[in-house]
Amino acid sequence: MRHTANWRLAALAITVLFCLSAVAQDCSGPALRGSFLQPALGDAWTLKQWHDEFHYMRDARLDQMVLQWTADSKEKTAIYPIGVAGYTQNTKHDVVERALTAADASGAQVYLGLQINDDWWTNYLSDKAWLKNEAKVANVLADDLWKRYNQHASLTGWYLGFEVDNVESTQAEWTNLVAFYRTVGNHLHKLTPGKPIVISPFFSTTADLSPAQWQTMWEYALKRSPIDVLALQDGVGVGHASNAQLPEWFSAVQNAIQNSRPRMQFWANAETFTLDSEPRPIRSIVNDMCAVQPYVSSYLSFSFNHYLSPQQVNPLYYRTYLSYLATGKVEHVRPTTPADLTSVALDSHTIRLTWIASTDNVGVVGYNILRDGRRVASLRDGTTTFLDSQLNPGTTYTYQVRAFDAAGNLSVLSAATTVTTPEPHLYPTNIALDKPYTAAMPANPSYPDTAGVELTDGILGSTSFADPAWQGRATTKVYTFTIDLGAVQVIKEVRSHWLQDKPSAILLPKQVSCLVSDDNVNFSAVGAVSKPSPGDGTSSLWYTLTDLTGINGRYVQLQVKPGSNAGWTFIDEIEVRQ
């Protein structure tokens, strides 16, 4: 695996989330036609919700769904009653059957994704034998799917889920990719004549290959590959590109298609999410479609179903998008200004804000919280109260609040309020220093726990994830660290130090809980720290439980709950103080 740029970490995080500023001007015309759906969401829907989803899609002029994958060839699982030896179904329902049946009733089209495999990100194009085996897996899987579901009129085509990027690669690796595409593509065209094959590559403007170099790569690959549709991810939601950079990249791919496979279709894959897994403003989505309109003939999205559907997010996003479709313009009315903002310090680490709600002609979606002039959080739950936690003691902070709607219109900033956190109680002795510990989940080999002593050595890392003081884990599963203090001790404070680097998909834990034990078997809960609000910038910060009373133990355990989206958590130190 190459580590030539920070963005490559985000390849494991696909879904993930930074809100870029909306471009001021609207254009008119482009509209989403299709949406990617990840199977877990569909598995959670009732039959009614499936039919309702296609109804919402139809009213929003979408008639295509890409079921992103049907099997995982690394985990040997599938989302339907698979007939391939060695595989088991890991969903409650037959997600493929439900998608196709609901699409049949709606007159919609479904593209079935074949397999995914996390080893793609490490093997990429360099492992010819691995790719050859995955091509065989794809063909066997397609045979099984076609045998089981060929009676559905909505089964329109196929999607190959291995996402190609613009990391530095060689012509030999391009040849490996071509061999994969040819083996699978020729088989699919023979199995299902006339049904198109879709791919959806992505790029990062900070990665190795320039637009011109990537054009050369795609000219080589597409000229030799039986691919029918290239749906290029625009990368704005995940922070790989800005709106202004899209024309250069989309024109390069358009040139590659025209020079190598001119009858191939070129679509955009519009990102509708932010780096915080929230919906992007409608105006930003429309402006990104406008930016690539001269180059593409249609628009998929990742994802209407996850980030625009009224079954998943605030219905104001759907309502605002329907209004755009009806009028050709995104509405521009600002919400009113939040009033009577007040602040109070609850303790040395926590400040509470309250204000009077704003109003809007369509509806207020939420509020941006600004601390010392920088946005640190966005509330979308309808509340007008915010707890800012894990702050520095003895520090003065100034806050403002502004409302926003689904279009992306922002209110005027509220009046400012200023508050100072009190000085802390000091606990000078770190009784965990150089003490042994165990980790229930090993660190990733690329970002290891060096010699198994990093977390109690007293050395803090810089804000670069490449600093060897950091260790990283890419997981959504809860994992633990257990420190042996050597004897039962009085514990007054427990804290752990974490990194945030959103463009690299390094995210803060959703929660860190602390437990203690005398025997390393029976643990008692001490407390939990929820994810603080440092803003979007790269930063490191402490999760602290302090002023503990009546807490004694030999073993201190931290239970780490990552976010719900795939990504990394990076930690470099745990302290236990008295």
Side-chain angles (χ1 to χ4, degrees), residues 5 18 42-43 54 92 111 151 214 244 250 291-292 300 308 314 345 358 368 412 421 424 429 466 520:
F18 170 63
D43 193 35
F54 276 102
K92 294 183 298 182
Y111 291 81
Q151 75 278 10
W214 212 37
F250 274 76
V292 302
L300 293 176
L308 284 179
N314 191 321
S358 301
N368 290 330
V412 174
T421 53
T429 306
N520 203 21

Side-chain angles (χ1 to χ4, degrees), residues 63-187:
D63 67 351
Q64 296 175 329
M65 176 182 285
V66 182
L67 196 54
Q68 194 161 351
W69 66 84
T70 52
D72 185 324
S73 57
K74 181 176 182 178
E75 301 298 328
K76 297 295 190 290
T77 57
I79 66 169
Y80 72 100
I82 189 168
V84 178
Y87 283 72
T88 58
Q89 183 177 343
N90 68 338
T91 53
K92 294 183 298 182
H93 306 105
D94 183 343
V95 179
V96 178
E97 177 66 33
R98 289 193 165 194
L100 292 170
T101 299
D104 287 344
S106 180
Q109 301 176 348
V110 175
Y111 291 81
L112 294 183
L114 296 179
Q115 81 269 31
I116 56 168
N117 188 315
D118 275 350
D119 288 341
W120 164 258
W121 302 112
T122 51
N123 293 325
Y124 197 48
L125 304 180
S126 59
D127 193 331
K128 183 177 180 180
W130 184 88
L131 274 172
K132 184 176 181 180
N133 183 68
E134 288 300 310
K136 293 179 180 178
V137 170
N139 290 348
V140 171
L141 180 60
D143 289 344
D144 190 55
L145 288 163
W146 183 244
K147 179 180 179 180
R148 186 176 294 270
Y149 302 109
N150 67 80
Q151 75 278 10
H152 287 281
S154 59
L155 204 172
T156 300
W158 306 94
Y159 172 65
L160 306 184
F162 292 154
E163 299 177 11
V164 180
D165 54 37
N166 64 321
V167 74
E168 183 181 2
S169 54
T170 65
Q171 186 168 309
E173 291 174 320
W174 304 349
T175 301
N176 293 343
L177 179 64
V178 167
F180 174 83
Y181 282 159
R182 288 177 66 118
T183 300
V184 180
N186 289 336
H187 181 81

